[in-house]
Amino acid sequence: MWCDFRSGDAKLDTRSPSNSEADPWAGWNTWAESKIANALAKERAVVLEAIAEEINNAVTEAHDHLAGEVKSLRIECTQLQETITELRSIIKSEKAKVIDLPNLLRKAN
């Protein structure tokens, strides 16, 4: 759309430019659109890099936390296995003991 000021009254001309009339802004529009597209592409690259870095940091932190938990659980497992071994040893030694009960069938003097 363009405005025709030559006629004296400033009415908006809603006619589309014909093929014979070259759009004087076509080159400018193409240049501006390419600048905008390049700027958006650079911005997206920076945003994606920042997001990737944050995700990487979160994954690293989660991995470190889980590694600590696994180490703690391994230590606890080892302690539990030692306790089980000690309990089995105690049970075995208790089973081997002979209990001498008094003979209740004997007569008292």
Side-chain angles (χ1 to χ4, degrees):
M1 299 184 155
W2 50 281
C3 189
D4 185 12
F5 291 103
R6 290 176 277 164
S7 64
D9 56 351
K11 291 183 184 174
L12 186 61
D13 187 359
T14 57
R15 295 176 296 150
S16 61
S18 65
N19 289 341
S20 61
E21 297 178 30
D23 184 9
W25 292 101
W28 168 260
N29 289 339
T30 303
W31 176 83
E33 287 171 358
S34 70
K35 292 293 270 186
I36 292 169
N38 287 336
L40 287 174
K42 288 178 184 177
E43 179 195 21
R44 286 184 186 124
V46 170
V47 168
L48 286 176
E49 186 177 334
I51 290 171
E53 187 176 330
E54 287 300 316
I55 290 172
N56 187 33
N57 290 342
V59 167
T60 301
E61 185 178 323
H63 180 267
D64 292 346
H65 176 72
L66 287 176
E69 289 292 319
V70 167
K71 183 178 180 181
S72 169
L73 288 172
R74 284 182 179 162
I75 291 170
E76 190 174 342
C77 246
T78 303
Q79 291 171 344
L80 287 172
Q81 287 174 340
E82 290 171 358
T83 303
I84 289 171
T85 303
E86 288 175 20
L87 288 173
R88 284 182 179 159
S89 173
I90 291 170
I91 290 172
K92 188 176 180 181
S93 67
E94 289 295 318
K95 282 184 178 179
K97 287 184 180 178
V98 177
I99 301 175
D100 192 18
L101 295 175
N103 187 357
L104 299 176
L105 298 176
R106 253 180 31 189
K107 292 184 180 181
N109 288 344

